[in-house]
Amino acid sequence: MDIITRIRKANFLGRGGANFSTAKKWEMFKNEKMDKKYIICNASEGEPDVFKDEYLIANFPEEIINGIKIALDFFSNSQAYIYLRKDLYLKFGLKLKKIIKKEKIKLFKETGGYLCGEETTLISSMEHQRREPKIKPPYPLQKGLKGKPTLINNVETFYYISKIAKQEYKKTRFYCISKDAKKQGVFELPIDWSVKKILQKTKNYPEYDFFVQVGGGACGKIVFGKELNKSVCGTGAIIVYNVKQDLIKLMQKWVNFYINENCGKCVPCREGFYRIREILNSKKIDWKLLKDILEVMKETSLCGLGTSAPTAFLSLMEMMKYR
Ligand code: SF4
C-alpha cells in the first residue's frame, strides 16, 4: 500500500488550519508533470498564543524529518525545505541539521513576520520577492517555488505522515492550550474530543466564567456555552479567557496585531483595520459600522488574513450580546 493510500485510509486532514485532505493534496501534487518539484515543511507558526509547532520541533524533530523523507522518497526529483520562523531557526537549526545529515532537506530562515505562514507569501519570501500574497490560481501545487510544483505541509502534518507510515496513527492531534488556562501547554488527544472534554481532561476547565478562542490564534472563533461541546478545527489552538477582562482592550490588541502584520496590498484589509482601530478607540463605539466593515473585509479581502481575522471580532461581538 503506498503512502497516499495510507493517508487516505486514515482520513487525515492537514494540520495547518485549512482542514484540507492531505491525501488529495498529495495526489494533486503527484499528478503535476514537471522535471523538478519542491516540498516545504511550514514551520513559520506566527499566531499569538500558539506554540504547538515549536513544541513538536523541540520534542519530535526525528519524526518530522522522517515525514519529510517519506515525501522525498515518494515524489521523484524532489527537493525539500524546512521553512523556520527566525527564532526557531536559531534555537533548533543546528539540531535539525544533525538529524538531516546528507538528505535532500535544507533549512530556510524566515525573512518576515506572521504573513509568511501564508503559502504564496512564504514562497515569495524564499525567492527574495515582496512578502505579500499572490492571487490563486495558480496554486503552489501547480506553480510554486521557482515556478515548479510545490507541496507545502505544516510541521504537525509531517509528524503524522511519519506516524501513518509506521501504522502508529491513533486519530489524535496536538492541542495548544494557552492564556488564562491553569495548565498551559501542548496535549496530544483524540481529534473528536470537544473543547469542554479537552479542558476537563487536561485540568484546564476554569472555575471562573470564561470563553475560549479556538482554531487559529488571533483569528480563531470565540466559543462559549453550548458551543464548547464541539470539537476543535483549524490549528488546534484553544485560548482560554476570563470573561471579566476588558473585551474592548482585547479587540484593540487584535487590531494592533493585524495592523502590524498585514501587507497593505488590498484596500479592505489595509484600510479596514485602521477604521476598526478608530472605532474601538472612540468614546462611543458604533457597533453597526464596525460589523459592516468586518463583513466587507471578510467577503472582499485578498488573502486568508483579511478574510479570517473578522471571525474573531464578529464572534466576540456576538458573545457580548448575551453577556
Ligand atoms: S488581506 Fe491583508 S494581508 Fe492579505 S493581501 Fe490583503 S492587505 Fe495583504
Side-chain angles (χ1 to χ4, degrees), residues 115 133 262-266 269 301-303 305-306:
L115 199 52
N262 86 81
C263 72
K265 184 171 178 171
C266 70
C269 170
S301 294
L302 183 70
C303 84
L305 188 151

Side-chain angles (χ1 to χ4, degrees), residues 31-61:
N31 291 338
E32 288 296 325
K33 304 283 174 241
M34 194 59 89
D35 55 332
K36 179 93 187 168
K37 292 184 181 183
Y38 291 103
I39 294 159
I40 300 174
C41 172
N42 187 349
S44 71
E45 187 174 61
E47 291 279 3
D49 301 309
V50 181
F51 41 84
K52 151 199 83 111
D53 288 346
E54 178 169 359
Y55 170 87
L56 285 169
I57 295 168
N59 293 285
F60 307 106

Side-chain angles (χ1 to χ4, degrees), residues 12 15 201 225 306 310-311 320:
F12 187 81
R15 300 294 159 76
K201 294 283 180 185
T311 304
M320 287 162 85

Side-chain angles (χ1 to χ4, degrees), residues 38-190:
Y38 291 103
I39 294 159
I40 300 174
C41 172
N42 187 349
S44 71
E45 187 174 61
E47 291 279 3
D49 301 309
V50 181
F51 41 84
K52 151 199 83 111
D53 288 346
E54 178 169 359
Y55 170 87
L56 285 169
I57 295 168
N59 293 285
F60 307 106
E62 290 87 357
E63 208 73 66
I64 297 160
I65 287 164
N66 191 45
I68 300 170
K69 280 185 193 169
I70 290 165
L72 278 170
D73 290 344
F74 188 73
F75 300 110
S76 49
N77 300 324
S78 57
Q79 156 84 54
Y81 288 92
I82 305 177
Y83 184 93
L84 287 148
R85 202 177 68 208
K86 271 176 238 158
D87 62 311
L88 297 182
Y89 181 92
L90 298 173
K91 229 162 147 182
F92 303 112
L94 275 178
K95 189 175 170 188
L96 289 170
K97 277 179 190 164
K98 276 184 194 158
I99 302 167
I100 291 167
K101 291 180 189 138
K102 286 184 183 161
E103 293 290 336
K104 288 190 291 178
I105 305 172
K106 289 183 184 165
L107 303 186
F108 187 91
K109 183 164 71 165
E110 185 181 70
T111 55
Y114 169 70
L115 199 52
C116 286
E118 192 277 332
E119 293 191 346
T120 60
T121 313
L122 180 152
I123 289 169
S124 293
S125 83
M126 290 181 78
E127 292 174 341
H128 308 289
Q129 294 179 30
R130 275 177 75 97
R131 292 183 299 270
E132 59 184 26
K134 289 200 171 104
I135 292 171
K136 293 179 270 189
Y139 291 92
L141 277 182
Q142 305 159 309
K143 197 176 172 209
L145 187 62
K146 300 175 194 169
K148 308 288 184 188
T150 304
L151 174 75
I152 305 177
N153 278 138
N154 158 269
V155 170
E156 185 180 339
T157 304
F158 279 115
Y159 169 90
Y160 278 122
I161 296 290
S162 174
K163 290 287 183 190
I164 290 169
K166 292 194 266 181
Q167 300 188 33
E168 290 172 6
Y169 175 57
K170 302 271 190 306
K171 295 203 181 296
T172 54
R173 69 171 303 164
F174 287 87
Y175 298 95
C176 170
I177 306 181
S178 61
K179 203 78 185 164
D180 297 335
K182 220 168 20 182
K183 268 189 77 183
Q184 292 190 13
V186 177
F187 303 85
E188 187 179 16
L189 297 167

